[in-house]
Amino acid sequence: MKIKEIIVVEGKDDTVAIRKALDADTIETNGSAINFETLEKIKLAQKTRGVIVLTDPDFPGEKIRHTITKHVPQCKHAFIDKQFAIAKHGKGVGVEHASVEVIREALSHAYVMTEEAVSEVTQADLMDAGLIGGSDAKMRREELGKILKIGYANGKQLYKRLTMFQITKKDFLAAVAKMDKELDYE
């Protein structure tokens, strides 16, 4: 499986994991302090072939994702759930620990984030779905993030992600219904 876009990852081990999963080129950020030269490479890659950002499902990975989005807004974003990115010995989280299948699945669901979009989903919808303000809201957001393939987010981030990924109200409600069925909420 050859992928057109260039995949932005954090380091060499991530590149090795990506190349086991598919034929792709990568740009490595070498950590969360992305330098000007790396951002310029990402901008050029976006212009010529397109970019998919695939960072670790942790705080530094989100920081890298945010920095790239700020400087190169039209990149696609793919997410791996934290549970599928934990090292076998339990110490460490990262793309390099994900299986070939998980990496392929994440990349097949890459989204373009957009700041200008207006969300069909409201804060009230998030409250009604038990995604903010309830005792099990965090667990519900984790499940919804898996179903929609947008990763885990806190309440404020969830609303922003739903907007940036242009998740329709119909798709949101369908995902909530699926989540409720899986969690046995009726």
Side-chain angles (χ1 to χ4, degrees):
M1 181 170 144
K2 173 70 175 168
I3 194 159
K4 175 188 161 223
E5 294 92 348
I6 296 174
I7 303 169
V8 176
V9 295
E10 294 181 43
K12 288 180 175 51
D13 292 338
D14 298 334
T15 293
V16 170
I18 295 293
R19 292 199 176 133
K20 285 180 185 174
L22 44 89
D23 185 7
D25 297 314
T26 62
I27 295 173
E28 297 164 4
T29 66
N30 298 311
S32 58
I34 304 174
N35 63 30
F36 176 78
E37 184 180 318
T38 302
L39 284 171
E40 288 302 305
K41 282 184 200 172
I42 295 169
K43 284 179 186 174
L44 178 60
Q46 177 60 25
K47 281 184 194 172
T48 57
R49 291 178 46 194
V51 166
I52 299 174
V53 179
L54 181 63
T55 57
D56 297 346
D58 57 10
F59 179 78
E62 283 301 311
K63 184 178 176 195
I64 292 166
R65 191 179 294 280
H66 177 74
T67 300
I68 293 169
T69 300
K70 183 176 169 187
H71 291 90
V72 192
Q74 293 304 311
C75 295
K76 291 181 181 177
H77 292 261
F79 296 88
I80 292 177
D81 289 323
K82 195 172 196 168
Q83 70 182 10
F84 299 118
I86 297 174
K88 292 199 186 331
H89 55 77
K91 292 185 180 177
V93 168
V95 170
E96 72 269 22
H97 304 300
S99 70
V100 166
E101 295 79 22
V102 167
I103 290 170
R104 286 180 181 161
E105 176 73 11
L107 292 170
S108 74
H109 292 284
Y111 290 93
V112 174
M113 295 170 95
T114 169
E115 291 281 351
E116 297 84 39
V118 177
S119 180
E120 293 180 19
V121 181
T122 66
Q123 292 283 353
D125 293 327
L126 298 180
M127 288 280 284
D128 292 345
L131 297 164
I132 53 178
S135 60
D136 60 352
K138 179 180 180 182
M139 180 265 305
R140 290 177 63 76
R141 287 192 306 272
E142 287 174 358
E143 288 303 311
L144 187 74
K146 290 175 192 173
I147 292 167
L148 290 173
K149 310 283 190 225
I150 62 173
Y152 169 75
N154 67 30
K156 194 181 282 187
Q157 290 171 329
L158 176 61
Y159 181 74
K160 188 173 183 179
R161 265 191 203 164
L162 291 170
T163 303
M164 291 185 352
F165 290 131
Q166 299 178 317
I167 304 292
T168 65
K169 191 163 190 164
K170 179 182 173 189
D171 290 342
F172 170 77
L173 293 173
V176 168
K178 181 177 180 181
M179 174 185 63
D180 286 344
K181 187 174 182 183
E182 288 176 4
L183 296 174
D184 206 24
Y185 285 83
E186 300 286 333

